[in-house]
Amino acid sequence: MIRQMGKSPTRIIRLLGFAVVLTISGIFTNRVGSRIRASQPDIIPVIQSVDAIALELTSSYTRRERYTGTIQPRRSSELGFERSGLVAQVMVNTGDIVEAGQTLAILSTQTLDAQEQELLAQQANAQAQLQELQAGPRLEEIAEAEATLRDANAQLVLAQARNQRRQNLLAAGAISQEEYDETASEEAALLAKRDAAAQRLQVLEKGTRAERIAAQQATTAELEARGGTLNLQRRQSVLRAPFDGQIAQRLIDEGAVVTAGQGILRLVEWESPEAHIGLPVDVAERLALGSLKPIEVAGHTYEARLNSLLPELTQSTRTATAVFQIVAQIAPSQLFAGQIANLELARAGESSGYWIPTTALVSSERGLWAVYVLVPSSSGFELAQQDVEVIHIEGDRVLIQGSLEQGEQIVADGINQLVPGQQVTPNDSSVQAPIEQFRQ
């Protein structure tokens, strides 16, 4: 008890000393701070200048829609021979420009040459026989037939006399029956010979029958038809260009054996290329055949005429295919099959709203967009964030809808440096020319 009480005064003295020091330090600090504050002027808030535009309500707008297709040649054919054979010569190479009717390739005709020689001989023989039939028998042949008939008659008279004598001898028993039969048989043979000679003479005197002439004429016509077939096969051995164009691909070289219809060359007509572009049905129905439209390919614009609308919809996209023919002109660049072609069409929109520059949009909550509206305040204007709905985007401007009013001012640019509630003042130049630069 006595020791603890002895130490207590020392502690109390120390604590009182420490409190006095703190009190003196505080008084000094307050005096110094007061002097510093008294020496500094009051801080005035800075009002930022912004580019502002006045909203102008529009009840309709023109929407530009872009449709895509491909460049295709007007005509494209994979050429081949109409008959099978050995390719003897291919006269063009890939990239060559050819004209309609130009010879492109030839088949070997050795087999046709041999068949033609054989056929020519058969035709000559058949024609000679026909001429002989049409001319009829010569006088010499008739005279020879008459002489043959006279000789046959003479031999028959002699045989008949001999047979009569033999018949008398047989009755008298001078000869045998066998000897008589020989004489009778000889008489019958000579009788048949006489009749044959008489019939031949009659045929020669009447001339050649019409049936034989007709039959020979049919034989001659058949050979002529075979000659026509050979000529056709010879023409089919030459491949010619069906139209002006360019050789896009060479598929066969000399020495190859090809079948009828097998492709050996690919020919494309590139004089007037076409753009095949898929369009929605309602858009295609509004286009007039023959109308001119700008087609953009690889950054270059070409004038094209709508030639036709294909009758079937594309199965994958359910769009109608519009065929535009590139109008002949000095082309800004070379076109190639398969290039992407773009068609841009204007389409009227009925939604009302306000056109603003894209730089006036600021991101809002839940993926929405907003603008900064200039709300009048005691010191000028104060920024208020207003959510909006983007209706249409066109280049560097957008059409918006929201709780906005005609004539209200919004910040047009520099929104990244601003926050809601901030004090601002619009630039004089931006207020006087509100949205003229963003009108179409």
Side-chain angles (χ1 to χ4, degrees):
M1 290 289 294
I2 295 176
R3 288 181 180 179
Q4 290 180 355
M5 288 181 65
K7 292 182 179 178
S8 294
T10 303
R11 288 184 178 182
I12 292 172
I13 292 172
R14 289 179 180 177
L15 289 175
L16 288 174
F18 183 70
V20 171
V21 173
L22 288 177
T23 301
I24 294 172
S25 299
I27 292 171
F28 178 78
T29 302
N30 288 336
R31 288 181 179 180
V32 173
S34 298
R35 292 178 181 178
I36 294 176
R37 286 194 297 269
S39 64
Q40 291 181 348
D42 293 337
I43 299 175
I44 301 174
V46 177
I47 300 178
Q48 185 170 344
S49 177
V50 296
D51 293 331
I53 56 174
L55 295 177
E56 184 176 342
L57 183 65
T58 179
S59 59
S60 62
Y61 64 95
T62 300
R63 182 173 58 191
R64 305 200 67 82
E65 297 178 338
R66 195 176 182 89
Y67 305 99
T68 303
T70 57
I71 295 296
Q72 297 185 18
R74 185 165 177 261
R75 286 187 287 183
S76 175
S77 297
E78 193 167 282
L79 306 180
F81 291 102
E82 298 181 60
R83 58 180 293 265
S84 303
L86 176 68
V87 178
Q89 188 177 4
V90 180
M91 303 176 177
V92 292
N93 291 313
T94 301
D96 288 352
I97 305 296
V98 299
E99 298 179 353
Q102 180 178 336
T103 300
L104 306 179
I106 298 175
L107 289 179
S108 173
T109 59
Q110 292 182 355
T111 302
L112 295 180
D113 294 340
Q115 292 177 355
E116 184 178 17
Q117 294 300 321
E118 180 183 358
L119 181 61
L120 289 175
Q122 293 176 353
Q123 286 178 334
N125 183 37
Q127 188 65 31
Q129 292 182 10
L130 176 61
Q131 292 176 353
E132 181 180 2
L133 292 175
Q134 290 174 337
R138 297 193 299 265
L139 295 177
E140 294 81 1
E141 291 179 330
I142 296 176
E144 180 182 358
E146 290 175 345
T148 301
L149 179 59
R150 287 194 299 271
D151 180 64
N153 282 329
Q155 293 182 13
L156 178 61
V157 171
L158 180 60
Q160 288 176 344
R162 185 183 303 112
N163 187 43
Q164 183 62 44
R165 290 194 298 271
R166 289 290 180 95
Q167 186 176 8
N168 294 334
L169 293 175
L170 177 62
I175 60 174
S176 64
Q177 183 67 38
E178 182 179 355
E179 291 176 332
Y180 172 74
D181 291 340
E182 290 178 358
T183 304
S185 176
E186 182 182 355
E187 180 184 359
L190 292 174
L191 178 60
K193 182 178 178 181
R194 192 277 311 271
D195 292 342
Q199 186 176 6
R200 181 172 182 275
L201 177 61
Q202 184 180 6
V203 169
L204 291 176
E205 289 176 343
K206 288 182 178 180
T208 306
R209 294 178 59 182
E211 292 84 351
R212 290 190 60 191
I213 295 177
Q216 190 61 31
Q217 288 176 336
T219 301
T220 304
E222 178 184 358
L223 293 175
E224 290 178 354
R226 288 176 56 190
T229 301
L230 285 178
N231 291 334
L232 176 61
Q233 291 178 343
R234 192 176 293 278
R235 290 194 299 270
Q236 292 175 344
S237 299
V238 179
L239 181 62
R240 302 182 185 276
F243 50 82
D244 296 346
Q246 185 176 15
I247 303 299
Q249 194 173 10
R250 173 172 168 169
L251 305 172
I252 293 295
D253 293 325
E254 291 84 354
V257 177
V258 297
T259 58
Q262 179 180 345
I264 67 168
L265 295 170
R266 181 172 177 79
L267 178 65
V268 297
E269 182 184 27
W270 206 243
E271 183 67 24
S272 298
E274 296 176 340
H276 291 214
I277 298 180
L279 302 174
V281 175
D282 60 333
V283 175
E285 290 175 344
R286 295 199 306 269
L287 296 180
L289 293 179
S291 60
L292 295 176
K293 300 294 181 182
I295 301 294
E296 185 269 326
V297 182
H300 301 284
T301 301
Y302 303 81
E303 193 174 47
R305 178 179 291 105
L306 178 59
N307 273 357
S308 62
L309 294 171
L310 300 187
E312 296 180 339
L313 297 181
T314 304
Q315 293 297 324
S316 58
T317 60
R318 306 303 297 172
T319 56
T321 300
V323 180
F324 291 87
Q325 182 178 352
I326 305 298
V327 177
Q329 57 183 346
I330 300 177
S333 67
Q334 174 69 33
L335 292 174
F336 298 93
Q339 277 186 296
I340 300 299
N342 298 297
L343 170 67
E344 192 173 84
L345 298 175
R347 191 173 185 180
E350 301 298 333
S351 297
S352 61
Y354 303 94
W355 284 109
I356 66 171
T358 56
T359 54
L361 291 176
V362 59
S363 299
S364 183
E365 297 178 354
R366 299 183 300 277
L368 299 178
W369 292 101
V371 295
Y372 285 152
V373 181
L374 275 68
V375 180
S377 65
S378 58
S379 59
F381 293 93
E382 182 179 294
L383 294 182
Q385 182 171 320
Q386 178 65 56
D387 289 341
V388 295
E389 179 184 359
V390 175
I391 303 300
H392 179 64
I393 302 176
E394 187 175 291
D396 58 355
R397 67 175 191 166
V398 294
L399 183 66
I400 62 171
Q401 289 180 344
S403 300
L404 301 170
E405 296 182 1
Q406 173 83 4
E408 278 190 315
Q409 297 181 46
I410 66 170
V411 179
D413 199 359
I415 57 176
N416 294 332
Q417 303 174 4
L418 305 174
V419 293
Q422 185 174 349
Q423 297 295 318
V424 296
T425 181
N427 292 327
D428 293 338
S429 59
S430 64
V431 174
Q432 292 175 359
I435 190 102
E436 295 297 331
Q437 65 271 35
F438 302 110
R439 291 179 180 172
Q440 186 171 6

